[in-house]
């Protein structure tokens, strides 16, 4: 019976288990009844073993199946991956061909026009953006290599993009980290000059496509030229030319190795490094970066080891600069008007055109004039020039005033506020080049140019020309009660040039991107006979072999003129006074104070000695002047 029970349990193990479970469900005792007790445990363990064996068999079969199909599945995955990659490549190719290189932003196309004096010294600029384009040929090779060493050392060999930089920028955008920019020079040029500056994935992708296309369709030199002409250097300077002037006061073509490396170092954080030279902390940090750039240049062979060893950190111009108005704007006004006229464009077009206007002005003499005019009689001169002291000049001035006005100016009493105007003109006889044009002390408070446009009563200053036959353009000079100081100076310059009138001009040359667009030539004509010019000279000189000639004139006590000339220079100083306007009350003429004579002499003698002179061992006659008759010369400038 027991064997039957076991056999039954063995044949229908599943049923046995169910019976046992049913026994449990009925609450029977495990130790009672057939098939219960220890027999239940044995049969349950066997069922679990068979179950596990089945699971193992299934796992083995699955492994075998996986091994058999692995290659097929890998091939499928590879096909999908290749299809996806092909789609991406195809999309990239299509996008590349559809991508057009955009035109530069209008603001990057704008340039300023720079004005320099007769020696090339920076005078000022006009325009919305301080930027001037120059060809790469005007950027020294060591400056180009400095920028490459600082910004993109693989520039000469890369494809225009840096995949690592693009991936870094994409991850930063997705993860919300700090924004990253393109690292290549090509990408920076595209971003700054051709695209908007925002950092988005779509703009970054477009930047990469344009950079690649730009690199494939333009030469590296073209890209570098565009970059150097648009990259921001701080101090308001966009482009290498403006940066060279703003930081070192030179043209880009004159930058030294040390200066070029310094400017290249600034590009990294221009708004911070622009304070170098005035902020010790900023300067120290820039010096470290400057040395890093020079080391890279030496390592690449861009500079020699001797150049690296001899490099010294350059001195920066003071920053921030002072007020640029002053009285220099009078000069820029005159030159801008003339330059626009010579080119046949408006002054606004001139300001935005990126021209370089070389003027005829002598900036050193102009600044000296401003100082002398401001100081008046308090200025004492050194012994080297042989000038008189203020007290001696004052005594001479009183005597001159008495002769010119018939009454000593010291006896004149002035009431209320009196403003004394000083106008100074210095030009070259027979040539017309204007060296000094002092029209006021402060352009911001008085934009009107007294020297060029002011009508000043001439009085006895015109007496030397009375009774002579004057030809155009001096025909009506003696009938003009109040000529401009520039016109009166031109008349005396005509006498100095033996009757040859030269039209005054302030623009000597206009260039753009290294190309000369205009160059001045003296425009002369005979305006008085040689005999009449000699009579003026005799009247002023007193004797023919005396030089220079001086004429003091006045219109009562209201104006005072003094003109000094020889064959090299004509210098006219005009003083007049007024009661300034108040409210609706217009300005009214006023008598000059008693110090006017002393001021006139001080300015005249000081400016004359500053401009006209001979360098040691140099003869003024050695410089020819094509606008003058044979034997005459243009002035040698002591400041050259």
């Amino acid at each position: 019976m027991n064997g039957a029970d076991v056999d039954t349990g063995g044949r229908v193990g599943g049923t046995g288990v169910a019976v046992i479970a049913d026994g449990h469900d009925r609450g029977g005792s495990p130790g009672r009844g057939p098939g219960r007790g220890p027999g239940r445990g044995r049969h349950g363990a066997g069922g679990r073993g068979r179950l596990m064996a089945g699971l193992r068999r299934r796992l083995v079969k699955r492994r075998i199946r996986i091994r058999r199909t692995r290659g097929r599945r890998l091939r499928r995955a590879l096909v999908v991956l290749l299809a996806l990659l092909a789609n991406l490549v195809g999309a990239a190719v299509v996008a590349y061909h559809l991508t057009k290189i955009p035109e530069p932003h209008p603001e990057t196309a704008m340039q300023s026009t720079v004005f320099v004096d007769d020696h090339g010294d920076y005078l000022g600029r006009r325009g919305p953006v301080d930027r001037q384009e120059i060809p790469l040929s005007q950027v020294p090779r060591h400056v180009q290599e400095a920028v490459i060493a600082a910004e993109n050392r693989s520039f000469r060999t890369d494809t225009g993009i840096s995949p690592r930089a693009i991936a870094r920028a994409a991850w930063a955008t997705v993860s919300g980290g700090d924004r990253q920019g393109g690292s290549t020079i090509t990408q920076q040029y595209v971003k700054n000059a051709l695209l908007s500056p925002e950092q988005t994935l779509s703009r970054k992708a477009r930047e990469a496509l344009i950079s690649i296309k730009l690199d494939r369709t333009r030469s590296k030199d073209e890209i570098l030229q565009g970059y150097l002409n648009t990259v921001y250097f701080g101090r308001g300077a966009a482009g290498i030319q403006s940066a060279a002037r703003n930081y070192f006061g030179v043209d880009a073509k004159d930058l030294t190795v040390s200066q070029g490396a310094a400017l290249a170092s600034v590009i990294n954080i221009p708004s911070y490094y622009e304070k170098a030279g005035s902020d010790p902390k900023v300067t120290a940090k820039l010096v470290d970066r400057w040395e890093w750039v020079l080391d890279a240049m030496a390592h690449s062979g861009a500079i020699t080891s001797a150049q690296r060893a001899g490099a010294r950190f350059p001195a920066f111009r003071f920053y921030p600069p002072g007020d640029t108005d002053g009285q220099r704007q009078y000069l820029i006004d005159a030159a801008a008007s003339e330059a626009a006229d010579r080119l046949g464009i408006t002054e606004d077009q001139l300001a935005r055109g990126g021209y370089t206007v070389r003027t005829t002005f002598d900036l050193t003499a102009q600044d000296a004039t401003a100082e002398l005019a401001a100081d008046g009689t308090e200025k004492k001169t050194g012994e080297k020039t042989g000038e008189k002291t203020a007290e001696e000049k004052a005594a001479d001035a009183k005597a001159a005033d008495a002769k010119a006005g018939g009454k000593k100016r010291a006896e004149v009493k002035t009431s209320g506020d009196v403003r004394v105007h000083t106008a100074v003109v210095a030009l070259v006889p027979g040539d017309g080049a204007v060296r000094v044009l002092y029209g006021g002390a402060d352009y911001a408070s008085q934009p009107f140019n007294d020297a060029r446009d002011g009508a000043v009563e001439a009085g006895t200053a015109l007496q030397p020309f009375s009774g002579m036959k004057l030809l155009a353009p001096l025909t009506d000079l003696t009938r003009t009660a109040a000529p401009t100081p520039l016109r009166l100076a031109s008349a005396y310059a005509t006498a100095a040039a033996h009757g040859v009138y030269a039209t005054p001009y302030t623009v000597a040359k206009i260039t753009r991107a290294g190309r000369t667009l205009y160059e001045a030539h003296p425009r002369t004509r005979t305006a008085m006979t040689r005999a009449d010019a000699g009579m003026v000279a005799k009247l002023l000189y007193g004797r023919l072999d005396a030089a220079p000639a001086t004429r003091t004139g006045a219109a009562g006590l209201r104006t005072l003129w003094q003109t000094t000339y020889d064959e090299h220079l004509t210098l006219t100083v005009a003083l007049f006074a007024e009661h300034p306007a108040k409210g609706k009350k217009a300005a009214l003429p006023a008598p000059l104070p008693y110090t006017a004579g002393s001021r006139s002499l001080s300015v005249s003698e000081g400016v004359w000695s500053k401009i006209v002179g001979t360098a040691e061992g140099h003869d003024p006659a050695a410089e020819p002047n094509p606008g003058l008759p044979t034997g005459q010369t243009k002035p040698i400038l002591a400041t050259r």
Side-chain angles (χ1 to χ4, degrees):
M1 187 67 180
N2 289 337
D5 290 341
V6 171
D7 184 62
T8 304
R11 288 194 306 270
V12 290
T15 307
V17 173
V19 169
I20 293 172
D22 185 64
H24 274 287
D25 289 341
R26 294 178 180 180
S29 172
R32 294 168 59 187
R36 300 175 182 177
R40 172 180 173 272
R42 289 196 303 272
H43 300 320
R48 285 195 298 273
R50 286 189 293 273
L51 182 63
M52 294 302 296
L55 289 173
R56 282 195 295 272
R57 283 193 299 272
R58 284 194 294 272
L59 288 174
V60 170
K61 289 179 180 179
R62 180 173 295 178
R63 290 193 189 101
I64 293 172
R65 190 165 56 250
I66 290 173
R67 282 196 296 269
R68 288 175 179 173
T69 61
R70 178 182 299 169
R72 184 167 63 253
R73 286 186 290 105
L74 286 175
R75 286 192 295 274
R76 287 177 180 175
L78 183 60
V79 169
V80 172
L81 182 61
L82 289 175
L84 179 62
L85 185 60
N87 287 333
L88 289 175
V89 171
V93 170
V94 171
Y96 173 82
H97 285 289
L98 292 178
T99 297
K100 295 182 179 179
I101 299 175
E103 293 295 323
H105 296 311
E107 56 268 26
T108 61
M110 290 181 183
Q111 302 182 61
S112 62
T113 287
V114 170
F115 297 82
V116 299
D117 79 344
D118 187 51
H119 317 301
D121 294 332
Y122 182 74
L123 179 61
R125 72 175 181 89
R126 285 280 170 86
V129 179
D130 190 1
R131 188 179 78 85
Q132 279 195 304
E133 285 192 5
I134 57 173
L136 192 64
S137 60
Q138 291 187 17
V139 182
R141 185 73 179 190
H142 57 257
V143 177
Q144 300 176 34
E145 294 301 328
V147 173
I148 291 172
E151 293 298 305
N152 179 198
R153 296 179 185 180
S154 64
F155 170 71
R156 299 286 185 190
T157 57
D158 64 34
T159 60
I161 65 169
S162 170
R164 180 180 299 177
I166 294 174
R168 185 172 62 245
W171 173 251
T173 303
V174 172
S175 63
D178 292 335
R179 292 179 177 178
Q180 303 288 331
S183 63
T184 70
I185 283 176
T186 307
Q187 285 176 274
Q188 290 185 55
Y189 172 61
V190 169
K191 179 180 67 176
N192 295 334
L194 308 180
L195 292 178
S196 54
E198 72 269 7
Q199 294 288 342
T200 62
L201 285 176
S202 60
R203 193 210 60 80
K204 197 68 182 175
R206 188 165 179 237
E207 173 191 304
L209 287 171
I210 294 174
S211 297
I212 294 172
K213 196 161 192 174
L214 197 68
D215 188 78
R216 291 175 64 87
T217 57
R218 309 276 177 87
S219 69
K220 290 291 186 180
D221 281 353
E222 287 179 289
I223 295 171
L224 185 59
Q225 175 177 296
Y227 176 76
L228 289 174
N229 278 323
T230 55
V231 65
Y232 184 62
F233 285 88
R235 297 196 175 189
I240 189 69
Q241 176 73 345
S242 295
R245 283 198 171 120
N246 286 8
Y247 281 90
F248 302 113
V250 300
D251 288 329
K253 62 183 177 62
D254 298 320
L255 287 169
T256 65
V257 170
S258 294
Q259 290 171 338
L263 288 181
S265 302
V266 166
I267 296 174
N268 180 244
I269 320 176
S271 60
Y272 177 78
Y273 288 132
E274 68 182 3
K275 302 178 184 66
S278 59
D279 186 318
K281 182 179 178 181
V282 174
T283 304
K285 189 171 181 178
L286 184 60
V287 168
D288 290 341
R289 183 167 175 81
W290 171 78
E291 290 179 341
W292 173 75
V293 170
L294 285 175
D295 288 342
M297 294 175 69
H299 184 265
S300 68
I303 57 175
T304 65
S305 56
Q307 287 176 307
R308 174 64 186 97
R312 297 292 180 270
F313 190 73
F316 282 20
R317 296 179 68 188
F318 178 75
Y319 182 81
D323 185 7
T324 58
D325 279 337
Q327 52 86 33
R328 293 191 182 189
Q329 291 299 325
Y330 294 112
L331 308 184
I332 296 176
D333 268 0
S337 175
E338 184 175 325
D341 182 66
R342 295 291 179 266
L343 296 176
I345 59 177
T346 66
E347 289 192 43
D348 183 64
Q349 290 173 320
L350 177 79
R352 297 169 181 268
Y355 301 95
T356 296
V357 179
R358 179 178 286 269
T359 69
T360 61
F361 303 122
D362 179 352
L363 190 53
T364 303
Q366 183 78 26
D367 290 343
T369 303
E371 184 179 355
L372 289 164
D375 288 349
T377 60
E378 299 303 317
K379 174 98 177 151
K380 290 188 178 183
T381 56
E383 295 180 0
K384 289 185 179 181
T385 60
E387 293 182 345
K388 299 178 181 180
T389 64
E391 290 78 7
E392 292 172 328
K393 291 177 181 178
D396 292 342
K398 290 179 180 178
D401 288 348
K403 181 179 179 181
K407 184 178 181 180
K408 291 187 178 181
R409 211 170 292 274
E411 297 174 0
V412 176
K413 303 290 185 179
T414 59
S415 59
D417 296 331
V418 174
R419 180 182 179 186
V420 177
H421 292 252
T422 303
V424 183
V425 177
L427 49 81
V428 180
D431 180 274
V434 179
R435 300 301 185 200
V436 172
L437 189 68
Y438 181 84
D442 186 8
Y443 183 89
S445 60
Q446 181 202 304
F448 185 81
N449 191 323
D450 287 330
R452 186 181 67 165
D453 305 314
V456 183
E457 287 185 272
T460 58
L462 285 176
Q463 280 183 350
F465 303 100
S466 299
M468 68 172 57
K469 183 178 180 181
L470 298 175
L471 304 177
L474 300 179
T475 307
D476 62 346
L477 176 66
T478 55
R479 298 192 299 272
T480 304
T484 65
L486 179 59
R487 191 178 188 206
L488 189 67
S490 298
Y492 278 100
T494 301
H498 307 293
V500 176
Y501 174 88
T503 303
Y505 66 95
T506 63
V507 175
K509 191 176 183 180
I510 304 174
T511 60
R512 186 182 188 188
R515 187 165 61 95
T516 299
L517 304 179
Y518 169 79
E519 193 162 6
H521 299 283
R523 292 184 295 173
T524 61
R525 63 184 301 170
T526 300
M528 66 177 69
T529 65
R530 192 178 184 89
D532 284 341
M535 289 297 296
V536 175
K538 184 176 181 181
L539 178 63
L540 270 64
Y541 283 124
R543 64 181 192 278
L544 292 177
D545 59 345
T550 300
R551 170 69 183 182
T552 301
L557 303 175
R558 297 180 300 278
T559 66
L560 180 63
W561 294 79
Q562 183 162 316
T563 296
T564 303
Y565 79 76
D566 62 10
E567 61 181 11
H568 307 304
L569 184 75
T570 296
L571 174 66
T572 294
V573 178
L575 277 73
F576 64 96
E578 67 177 9
H579 295 294
K582 290 184 178 180
K584 295 182 179 181
K585 187 177 181 181
L588 297 173
L592 286 165
Y594 72 92
T595 57
S598 178
R599 172 180 292 193
S600 177
L601 279 173
S602 176
V603 172
S604 182
E605 294 180 8
V607 176
W608 183 271
S609 63
K610 192 70 177 177
I611 300 179
V612 178
T614 57
E616 186 175 352
H618 190 84
D619 183 359
E623 283 202 10
N625 185 342
L628 291 175
T630 304
Q632 292 203 49
T633 63
K634 71 177 183 180
I636 303 302
L637 303 185
T639 54
R640 285 183 177 172

